[in-house]
PDB file of all heavy atoms in Angstrom:
ATOM      1  N   SER O  37     130.677  90.740  70.085  1.00  0.00           N
ATOM      2  CA  SER O  37     130.951  89.718  71.086  1.00  0.00           C
ATOM      3  C   SER O  37     131.593  88.455  70.483  1.00  0.00           C
ATOM      4  O   SER O  37     132.066  87.603  71.201  1.00  0.00           O
ATOM      5  CB  SER O  37     129.680  89.326  71.815  1.00  0.00           C
ATOM      6  OG  SER O  37     128.770  88.766  70.916  1.00  0.00           O
ATOM      7  N   LEU O  38     131.616  88.333  69.144  1.00  0.00           N
ATOM      8  CA  LEU O  38     132.216  87.179  68.479  1.00  0.00           C
ATOM      9  C   LEU O  38     133.722  87.332  68.469  1.00  0.00           C
ATOM     10  O   LEU O  38     134.268  88.403  68.245  1.00  0.00           O
ATOM     11  CB  LEU O  38     131.704  87.055  67.052  1.00  0.00           C
ATOM     12  CG  LEU O  38     130.232  86.810  66.855  1.00  0.00           C
ATOM     13  CD1 LEU O  38     129.879  86.799  65.376  1.00  0.00           C
ATOM     14  CD2 LEU O  38     129.811  85.531  67.520  1.00  0.00           C
ATOM     15  N   ASP O  39     134.424  86.185  68.678  1.00  0.00           N
ATOM     16  CA  ASP O  39     135.881  86.253  68.555  1.00  0.00           C
ATOM     17  C   ASP O  39     136.272  86.217  67.068  1.00  0.00           C
ATOM     18  O   ASP O  39     135.458  85.990  66.208  1.00  0.00           O
ATOM     19  CB  ASP O  39     136.557  85.139  69.368  1.00  0.00           C
ATOM     20  CG  ASP O  39     136.122  83.766  68.923  1.00  0.00           C
ATOM     21  OD1 ASP O  39     135.683  83.609  67.798  1.00  0.00           O
ATOM     22  OD2 ASP O  39     136.276  82.823  69.728  1.00  0.00           O
ATOM     23  N   GLU O  40     137.546  86.366  66.822  1.00  0.00           N
ATOM     24  CA  GLU O  40     138.037  86.498  65.435  1.00  0.00           C
ATOM     25  C   GLU O  40     137.736  85.238  64.628  1.00  0.00           C
ATOM     26  O   GLU O  40     137.378  85.309  63.477  1.00  0.00           O
ATOM     27  CB  GLU O  40     139.553  86.782  65.452  1.00  0.00           C
ATOM     28  CG  GLU O  40     140.110  87.170  64.113  1.00  0.00           C
ATOM     29  CD  GLU O  40     139.555  88.466  63.568  1.00  0.00           C
ATOM     30  OE1 GLU O  40     139.237  89.379  64.369  1.00  0.00           O
ATOM     31  OE2 GLU O  40     139.414  88.591  62.344  1.00  0.00           O
ATOM     32  N   GLU O  41     137.866  84.060  65.289  1.00  0.00           N
ATOM     33  CA  GLU O  41     137.625  82.804  64.585  1.00  0.00           C
ATOM     34  C   GLU O  41     136.156  82.694  64.141  1.00  0.00           C
ATOM     35  O   GLU O  41     135.864  82.260  63.033  1.00  0.00           O
ATOM     36  CB  GLU O  41     137.986  81.633  65.501  1.00  0.00           C
ATOM     37  CG  GLU O  41     137.858  80.279  64.848  1.00  0.00           C
ATOM     38  CD  GLU O  41     138.243  79.161  65.781  1.00  0.00           C
ATOM     39  OE1 GLU O  41     139.361  79.234  66.337  1.00  0.00           O
ATOM     40  OE2 GLU O  41     137.403  78.255  65.952  1.00  0.00           O
ATOM     41  N   GLU O  42     135.269  83.107  65.033  1.00  0.00           N
ATOM     42  CA  GLU O  42     133.851  83.036  64.676  1.00  0.00           C
ATOM     43  C   GLU O  42     133.513  84.048  63.606  1.00  0.00           C
ATOM     44  O   GLU O  42     132.661  83.814  62.751  1.00  0.00           O
ATOM     45  CB  GLU O  42     133.012  83.281  65.922  1.00  0.00           C
ATOM     46  CG  GLU O  42     133.060  82.115  66.911  1.00  0.00           C
ATOM     47  CD  GLU O  42     132.339  82.450  68.183  1.00  0.00           C
ATOM     48  OE1 GLU O  42     132.294  83.653  68.567  1.00  0.00           O
ATOM     49  OE2 GLU O  42     131.865  81.513  68.843  1.00  0.00           O
ATOM     50  N   ARG O  43     134.170  85.190  63.609  1.00  0.00           N
ATOM     51  CA  ARG O  43     133.906  86.193  62.577  1.00  0.00           C
ATOM     52  C   ARG O  43     134.394  85.737  61.216  1.00  0.00           C
ATOM     53  O   ARG O  43     133.757  86.038  60.206  1.00  0.00           O
ATOM     54  CB  ARG O  43     134.613  87.503  62.922  1.00  0.00           C
ATOM     55  CG  ARG O  43     133.991  88.207  64.075  1.00  0.00           C
ATOM     56  CD  ARG O  43     134.680  89.516  64.347  1.00  0.00           C
ATOM     57  NE  ARG O  43     134.171  90.100  65.597  1.00  0.00           N
ATOM     58  CZ  ARG O  43     134.577  91.247  66.065  1.00  0.00           C
ATOM     59  NH1 ARG O  43     135.491  91.937  65.459  1.00  0.00           N
ATOM     60  NH2 ARG O  43     134.069  91.694  67.177  1.00  0.00           N
ATOM     61  N   GLU O  44     135.459  84.994  61.178  1.00  0.00           N
ATOM     62  CA  GLU O  44     136.003  84.531  59.902  1.00  0.00           C
ATOM     63  C   GLU O  44     135.379  83.215  59.426  1.00  0.00           C
ATOM     64  O   GLU O  44     135.647  82.789  58.322  1.00  0.00           O
ATOM     65  CB  GLU O  44     137.537  84.361  60.024  1.00  0.00           C
ATOM     66  CG  GLU O  44     138.272  85.661  60.174  1.00  0.00           C
ATOM     67  CD  GLU O  44     139.772  85.486  60.282  1.00  0.00           C
ATOM     68  OE1 GLU O  44     140.233  84.330  60.165  1.00  0.00           O
ATOM     69  OE2 GLU O  44     140.451  86.481  60.525  1.00  0.00           O
ATOM     70  N   ALA O  45     134.620  82.561  60.278  1.00  0.00           N
ATOM     71  CA  ALA O  45     134.032  81.278  59.907  1.00  0.00           C
ATOM     72  C   ALA O  45     133.142  81.442  58.713  1.00  0.00           C
ATOM     73  O   ALA O  45     132.456  82.450  58.536  1.00  0.00           O
ATOM     74  CB  ALA O  45     133.226  80.735  61.069  1.00  0.00           C
ATOM     75  N   ASP O  46     133.135  80.400  57.890  1.00  0.00           N
ATOM     76  CA  ASP O  46     132.321  80.417  56.673  1.00  0.00           C
ATOM     77  C   ASP O  46     130.844  80.360  57.035  1.00  0.00           C
ATOM     78  O   ASP O  46     130.427  79.543  57.860  1.00  0.00           O
ATOM     79  CB  ASP O  46     132.702  79.204  55.819  1.00  0.00           C
ATOM     80  CG  ASP O  46     132.004  79.211  54.470  1.00  0.00           C
ATOM     81  OD1 ASP O  46     131.561  80.289  54.022  1.00  0.00           O
ATOM     82  OD2 ASP O  46     131.913  78.143  53.861  1.00  0.00           O
ATOM     83  N   ALA O  47     130.062  81.224  56.460  1.00  0.00           N
ATOM     84  CA  ALA O  47     128.644  81.312  56.777  1.00  0.00           C
ATOM     85  C   ALA O  47     127.929  80.002  56.404  1.00  0.00           C
ATOM     86  O   ALA O  47     127.013  79.574  57.117  1.00  0.00           O
ATOM     87  CB  ALA O  47     127.995  82.479  56.034  1.00  0.00           C
TER      88      ALA O  47
END
Side-chain angles (χ1 to χ4, degrees):
S37 64
L38 297 177
D39 60 22
E40 191 64 32
E41 184 179 307
E42 289 174 332
R43 289 182 189 182
E44 291 180 5
D46 185 21

